[in-house]
Amino acid sequence: DQQVKQNSPSLSVQEGRISILNCDYTNSMFDYFLWYKKYPAEGPTFLISISSIKDKNEDGRFTVFLNKSAKHLSLHIVPSQPGDSAVYFCAANAGGTSYGKLTFGQGTILTVHP
Amino acid sequence: NAGVTQTPKFQVLKTGQSMTLQCAQDMNHEYMSWYRQDPGMGLRLIHYSVGAGITDQGEVPNGYNVSRSTTEDFPLRLLSAAPSQTSVYFCASSYSPGMSQAFFGQGTRLTVV
């Protein structure tokens, strides 16, 4: 049972436009959400996170939105750059006894064309 | 500051062999974990640790053992390798219980034949 789902395996965007990556979750105990970016042959790197007490968090070109009622989060990248081309994973943590555990989605391959 | 170091980077095993994947971090992080990445599956948690001497199972623990005798090291042992364990393995560490800003190693690509 996939508790964190990224239903779009890939996304293609023109340089300078907005990239929107989506993620849905089913476990209502999740209270902390993260996005990681991964280049080929490298480990994932942390991008941005959001706590369930917020509905938006910004860091430069990256903004994460959380809709708790819909159990949905999204990552917006504005403006998109060719260097943003990578696999993006959303992840969630349930806190409490789940400290130290992350549940990941399947990933979305983002390609930004010059 | 090396971050999270995984060795080896590549390994080929025969079915039934055992081996240990090494993971070391130099950031004094309490939280460490092992994931495997398979096509279309994302990263799945194998085992994790919330501090030296404390480990627990993740989503896919069967066939793997871990121990955490020091804060720095978190080795993953494959007891009797099977082709289903062919995967890319990542070790991660974080100062945060929510695994915020977790640092990942570069991965170990394991093939079991």
Side-chain angles (χ1 to χ4, degrees), chain A residues 27-73:
Chain A
N27 188 343
S28 57
M29 298 301 291
F30 288 146
D31 62 1
Y32 195 72
F33 303 89
L34 309 92
W35 285 93
Y36 281 84
K37 174 179 172 180
K38 185 182 179 305
Y39 293 117
E42 294 185 10
T45 55
F46 171 77
L47 200 54
I48 193 169
S49 62
I50 187 167
S51 164
S52 60
I53 62 173
K54 295 185 174 181
D55 54 18
K56 178 182 172 181
N57 189 28
E58 279 182 272
D59 185 0
R61 297 187 295 115
F62 303 92
T63 303
V64 56
F65 295 92
L66 176 62
N67 182 333
K68 289 186 290 294
S69 61
K71 293 190 175 66
H72 177 83
L73 64 155

Side-chain angles (χ1 to χ4, degrees), chain B residues 30-66:
Chain B
E30 289 297 320
Y31 299 90
M32 296 187 73
S33 46
W34 276 101
Y35 295 85
R36 58 178 287 173
Q37 183 189 11
D38 302 294
M41 304 288 288
L43 282 82
R44 292 182 293 168
L45 181 65
I46 305 171
H47 285 284
Y48 68 105
S49 170
V50 299
I54 307 169
T55 64
D56 205 348
Q57 296 181 353
E59 182 185 354
V60 287
N62 292 341
Y64 308 94
N65 272 358
V66 292

Side-chain angles (χ1 to χ4, degrees), chain A residues 6-18:
Chain A
Q6 294 176 256
N7 291 316
S8 297
S10 63
L11 175 67
S12 183
V13 170
Q14 208 65 31
E15 181 179 6
R17 307 295 285 266
I18 185 172

